[in-house]
Amino acid sequence: MKQVADRKAEGSPPAHHEVRRALQQLLESNGFNASARNRRFLSYSVEETLNGRGDRIKAYNIAVAAFDRGDDFDPLADPIVRIEAGRLRRALEHYYLTEGKADPIRIDMPKGSYMAVFSRVQPETNADTQMDPAVADGPEEPAEPAPQTPDVITGPQTLPAPTASSPKSRMALTRVLAMVAAALVVAVGIWVAIQQIRTVGGASGGLPGGPRIIVYPFEEISDNPAQTFVSRGMTYDIIASLTRFNDLFVYGPETSFYLAAYKQTRTNSIIQADFALTGSVFSTTDSVRVSVMLADLKTGRNIWSWSNESPLTPSDMRAAQTEIAEHVARAVAQPYGSLFERSATEIAGKPAADLSSYECVVRFQQYWRTYDATMYQDLLGCMNAAIARDPHYARAYSCLALLYVDAYRFGQKAPDLPANPVQRALELANTAISLEPAASDGYLALSVARWFDHDVDGGLEAAKQGLALNPNDTILIGELGIRYALLARWEESKAMADKLFALNPRAPTGYRRATFLYAYMHGDYRAALAELRAAEMPLNLYDHVFRAMTYARLGDREKAKAEVSQIVALDAKYGEHVAADFRKRNADPSVVQAIVDGLAEAGLPTSQATGTN
């Protein structure tokens, strides 16, 4: 008796177009239980073989072409190709034993080679082909079926009918019924999840036009099955970290693990994700190497990748896993991270009136880098329109609150500004918090509004509350760095500023004013100037103020004079109210006096007494 897997080979080898059609059918099949990268591996091997380049199918080329490894990949040090080839062979074998048993073209990868082999086959036509694939060869009329547990119950079974006097038969029947029940539970669970996914995928979820991201389960590529909990835990941790960014729609872990069975080729027939995060984990008893990629599902292009190796021992395992997850979340989702850069590029040059609510927020983040006055009026209109269009979009209220504060602290101009913009900002910030109490953005707005309402302790407390909700909010970290510097709390300020640029190198360079003030107030004027030179264009009034002071201290009179000319061009009477301007920012008297003295030395006529206007 023969197994279902046995085939009869036909004479002519399959044509190239037949192989490609068979490959496509294989890749689209739910029964082909291979990872996304092993599907790329197989596709690469098939194409190279068909194009007569079988001699090029080596571990190095596979790793670079299919696994996104760099040019420095060393197949002797990294066994990924060998490991994944074994998994791919098992997936192919399983597929042709089950769903693909009737496929006329078979694709294999024999051991000892990474080349694909193609054969034209025909299923046996005798009655034996109806037997379960897990039944072993045996005599033509066995007394009992082989005591093996089939992987999948497919089609009519030819097991002998059990009898009450046959304990083995009763056990076999019980085993089969248990497997059928388990399969039904899984099938129903997947069906329910898909319905829930479709419902969620079509809902706004309070996120007007924001990006949707799915995190596929990370693949454990080590040979030790006991380490699979590391990759699974990494997936959960990254999803949890991403959900702290309330502009990002993150599909939950249940969705991710269910969709893993459908593979990336079919995901967007079920949900409407914009981006997919994939990764692999190679763990040993003492280290873990993680590789992560973010793909734009519209274009299929990878827009960000990162790899890292960390020690992994029972004592620090959890800490390493959390640190990796939070690094990935920050790099992908934080303000000025990869998703922001992608969105900002897409809307560049788009009129403010045509922006969606989420795009208005992205444009606000661009403005936040420089406080460019030319953007202010259009952005104010965009945010008001966003609130009218999406009255439950908390982030829009936060951004509008910050824009109103800017009318007070920077003198930004626009028609119909409220008589008391800071008071209006406080109201908007509290509305944002009431709409999204677990998000940090409302607390950022509340912190800044309270600060400029001269509630110093309340402003600091709101910032700390926001960071308790989202430790990844580097803008809040930067705000605390600036606030502590103005208060002359130097060590706290420096710690915050150092942490900010370690976590987010692309954070607005305006936050370097914290490290500038630290260096200047400690007499290190060259270090202070280095911080100022990082400023982004266009420069604003305070960039010129700090440069004038620093050039004067360094004895560069010409450059100090040039900066004073820029200050006067922006505000002809700034020297008369510089002290009042920095008192408005709750600056410590020692900081105010240093600024007044520095500007006087640079040649700007000032009111020397810090207690006068």
Side-chain angles (χ1 to χ4, degrees), residues 334-535:
Q334 70 184 344
Y336 315 107
S338 55
L339 288 181
F340 164 80
E341 297 290 353
R342 188 71 168 180
S343 299
T345 300
E346 289 177 353
I347 68 171
K350 194 174 180 180
D354 296 339
L355 297 178
S356 70
S357 299
Y358 170 73
E359 289 171 339
C360 282
V361 168
V362 173
R363 182 69 56 83
F364 170 83
Q365 290 173 326
Q366 292 174 296
Y367 158 84
W368 190 257
R369 299 193 73 93
T370 60
Y371 306 105
D372 185 354
T374 63
M375 299 176 67
Y376 185 78
Q377 183 172 329
D378 284 346
L379 193 51
L380 199 64
C382 191
M383 281 302 164
N384 275 304
I387 286 174
R389 182 170 55 242
D390 297 299
H392 299 290
Y393 187 21
R395 188 71 182 278
Y397 289 89
S398 301
C399 294
L400 185 57
L402 292 169
L403 287 171
Y404 282 140
V405 172
D406 289 353
Y408 172 75
R409 63 172 167 169
F410 296 134
Q412 304 285 38
K413 305 295 184 185
D416 303 322
L417 283 171
N420 188 337
V422 173
Q423 182 59 40
R424 179 62 179 141
L426 287 167
E427 295 168 1
L428 289 165
N430 282 310
T431 300
I433 292 171
S434 68
L435 289 170
E436 290 282 355
S440 61
D441 301 298
Y443 289 95
L444 168 64
L446 183 63
S447 172
V448 175
R450 281 179 175 175
W451 179 269
F452 283 96
D453 197 38
H454 303 291
D455 179 4
V456 172
D457 291 339
L460 297 177
E461 180 59 30
K464 293 174 183 176
Q465 286 179 283
L467 282 176
L469 292 168
N470 184 2
N472 288 319
D473 193 329
T474 50
I475 300 304
L476 271 171
I477 295 172
E479 287 294 317
L480 276 174
I482 288 287
R483 306 298 166 221
Y484 287 141
L486 289 169
L487 294 171
R489 292 165 59 170
W490 300 117
E491 296 310 314
E492 292 168 283
S493 172
K494 188 175 186 303
M496 284 293 175
D498 289 347
K499 181 178 180 180
L500 165 66
F501 289 104
L503 294 177
N504 188 2
R506 281 288 293 146
T509 54
Y511 289 123
R512 290 193 178 277
R513 290 172 189 164
T515 47
F516 156 76
L517 285 170
Y518 180 92
Y520 187 93
M521 296 297 290
H522 287 79
D524 191 348
Y525 302 120
R526 293 199 177 279
L529 183 60
E531 295 298 324
L532 294 175
R533 284 175 171 166

Side-chain angles (χ1 to χ4, degrees), residues 154-166:
T154 55
Q157 305 300 305
T158 57
L159 295 172
T163 65
S165 60
S166 172

Side-chain angles (χ1 to χ4, degrees), residues 6 42 76 107 163 225 254 262 324 386 419 432 441 480 516 568 571 594:
D6 290 348
L42 181 62
L76 296 178
I107 301 172
T163 65
E254 293 80 10
Y262 283 81
I324 291 168
D441 301 298
L480 276 174
F516 156 76
V568 172
D571 185 343

